Amino acid sequence: MTVAESVNATKVRYAAADALALLDGIDTLIATKGKKVETFDLKDARPDDDELLARLMGPTGNLRAPAARIGRTLVVGFNEEVYARVLK
């Protein structure tokens, strides 16, 4: 496994169950939408599936793009500052 893996959500479709499965082995979820950034600590207090799906899924019912697994962190959505921080 590489340090950083990405999923092209425009080409690979992920339904709700598939999106939740991406969280296996993930300690931190960072969900971004524009300048709004939400960080979830999944190893200590995992939110319920509905709350996670609200951050993972886009309006079309598929995984939001871009989505990248970086180590034990999953970043969903694009925010330049977040990517700069997690890719250091």
Side-chain angles (χ1 to χ4, degrees):
M1 178 186 295
T2 61
V3 173
E5 295 177 27
S6 64
V7 174
N8 186 340
T10 61
K11 294 182 181 179
V12 178
R13 300 293 179 193
Y14 282 82
D18 300 321
L20 289 172
L22 288 175
L23 297 175
D24 290 345
I26 296 294
D27 292 338
T28 306
L29 168 65
I30 303 173
T32 67
K33 190 177 264 188
K35 293 191 180 279
K36 183 178 180 182
V37 177
E38 295 179 283
T39 303
F40 298 89
D41 180 355
L42 302 181
K43 63 181 177 180
D44 291 331
R46 181 181 167 131
D48 65 41
D49 288 352
D50 288 337
E51 186 173 354
L52 291 171
L53 286 170
R55 283 25 176 231
L56 293 170
M57 306 304 283
T60 62
N62 295 309
L63 179 65
R64 290 184 47 236
R69 179 181 176 146
I70 303 153
R72 296 183 64 83
T73 299
L74 181 65
V75 180
V76 178
F78 182 77
N79 179 292
E80 188 173 352
E81 294 171 4
V82 168
Y83 276 93
R85 185 179 74 230
V86 297
L87 291 174
K88 266 185 166 181

